[in-house]
Amino acid sequence: MNFEDYHTHHRRCGHASGSLRDVVEAALEQNLHAIGLSDHAPMLFLPGDHPQPGTAMAKSEFGAYVREMHDLKSEYAERVVVNVGVEADYVPGSVDDYRALLAGGDFDYVIGSVHFIDGWHLFQEQRPDGVTREDLWDRALVLTREAAETGLFSILGHLDVLKTKGHLPDRVDTPRLHETLDAVADLGVAMELNTSGWRKSANECFPSLAILKLAAKRGIPVVLGSDAHRPEDVAADFPRAAALLREAGYGELASFSRGERATRPL
Ligand SMILES: [Zn+2]
Ligand SMILES: [Zn+2]
């Protein structure tokens, strides 16, 4: 498959299996054009070296992670493009810390993801007291826009991932959604079609076709990401995702190398 996968995890984050090399080997098996390595960055907004071992790598592990990616990039250069990346949380107040962490890592791209809304992790079953699904969606969009405005992120992760645990309201097409997508388009930040939603109970990719159509109309660049948490899921459902992007109105994909964006045929 002549695709590039921009969103993969490996065992360093504590909730995925396989090594970075296993992920690259999986990409080779599938004949991908490029494989992006994007494990969860350490949680700089929490105290201690390894605040949540089952969620993200330790702060002290980050250097080894970056070195190992660059080593694999060199080693596999003749066979597959290895893109050096990371998935970092967007949490207000932590941007300068992430900027400092990522400086000098020579990243090809950085995914910015909202996993926390005002201290609440959005994969929790229970919503915070007195907070509606409408409130959460609105807040997630505001945070997404702020993330785009930081200039730190090349790609915005899984836009409507709130639906994983049923926290997305019935009506997602709100003025805030349009305002957010307008801002993202103006800022020239890309987003991803994340296929992992098809492997979860929501059984819908992130974001939905309706949102992808709004994004395509605005020319927001898009990449494909499997969000694989095991090597077998690298590039999962990519032909289906490509077909959906065409249906949404996309004619091309974005591609990243050393922070620079280019385009690839879809
Ligand atoms: Zn994520
Ligand atoms: Zn992820």
Side-chain angles (χ1 to χ4, degrees):
M1 292 194 291
N2 189 24
F3 287 117
E4 301 186 336
D5 189 344
Y6 278 88
H7 196 151
T8 63
H9 296 278
H10 74 297
R11 59 181 168 230
R12 266 195 183 85
C13 66
H15 60 276
S17 62
S19 62
L20 285 173
R21 182 181 296 278
D22 293 337
V23 173
V24 175
E25 286 289 335
L28 271 182
E29 263 169 49
Q30 306 224 37
N31 280 312
L32 295 190
H33 177 259
I35 181 70
L37 305 171
S38 64
D39 211 3
H40 296 284
M43 305 171 88
L44 303 186
F45 48 94
L46 295 177
D49 182 47
H50 205 180
Q52 291 187 12
T55 304
M57 70 181 81
K59 291 164 191 169
S60 56
E61 183 63 22
F62 193 67
Y65 166 63
V66 174
R67 276 194 302 278
E68 192 179 335
M69 288 193 290
H70 281 290
D71 288 348
L72 289 166
K73 187 185 182 83
S74 310
E75 183 186 333
Y76 282 85
E78 304 295 314
R79 288 172 282 171
V80 62
V81 177
V82 174
N83 282 320
V84 171
V86 67
E87 179 180 18
D89 288 279
Y90 173 67
V91 171
S94 66
V95 173
D96 289 345
D97 292 336
Y98 279 106
R99 215 182 288 283
L101 179 79
L102 302 180
D106 201 8
F107 285 90
D108 288 302
Y109 68 99
V110 177
I111 300 176
S113 293
V114 174
H115 295 118
F116 290 90
I117 297 179
D118 306 322
W120 175 79
H121 194 280
L122 45 73
F123 289 165
Q124 278 170 245
E125 303 284 343
Q126 295 292 324
R127 287 187 284 282
D129 279 348
V131 176
T132 65
R133 294 185 299 164
E134 285 76 12
D135 295 336
L136 288 173
W137 179 226
D138 196 68
R139 192 73 187 115
L141 290 169
V142 169
L143 292 169
T144 297
R145 179 188 179 146
E146 286 179 18
E149 286 169 346
T150 64
L152 185 59
F153 306 118
S154 352
I155 300 164
L156 299 168
H158 45 58
L159 189 66
D160 61 356
V161 73
L162 269 173
K163 68 191 173 200
T164 303
K165 296 290 181 184
H167 299 314
L168 204 61
D170 296 333
R171 180 169 170 250
V172 292
D173 192 343
T174 59
R176 182 79 75 194
L177 174 63
H178 287 258
E179 180 190 308
T180 303
L181 294 175
D182 285 344
V184 170
D186 284 348
L187 292 159
V189 182
M191 51 182 245
E192 65 167 348
L193 187 168
N194 181 312
T195 65
S196 71
W198 279 320
R199 307 192 297 277
K200 295 178 179 170
S201 56
N203 196 20
E204 190 180 71
C205 63
F206 309 119
S208 62
L209 176 61
I211 296 176
L212 289 169
K213 282 181 176 171
L214 296 174
K217 208 157 64 181
R218 289 165 171 81
I220 296 174
V222 69
V223 300
L224 295 179
S226 65
D227 213 343
H229 279 69
R230 41 182 209 157
E232 305 91 282
D233 287 334
V234 166
D237 292 315
F238 273 22
R240 180 181 180 185
L244 198 72
L245 284 180
R246 279 187 213 101
E247 188 182 340
Y250 276 101
E252 61 188 27
L253 291 164
S255 178
F256 287 89
S257 177
R258 306 189 75 169
E260 296 296 317
R261 193 179 75 231
T263 55
R264 289 175 52 75
L266 176 58

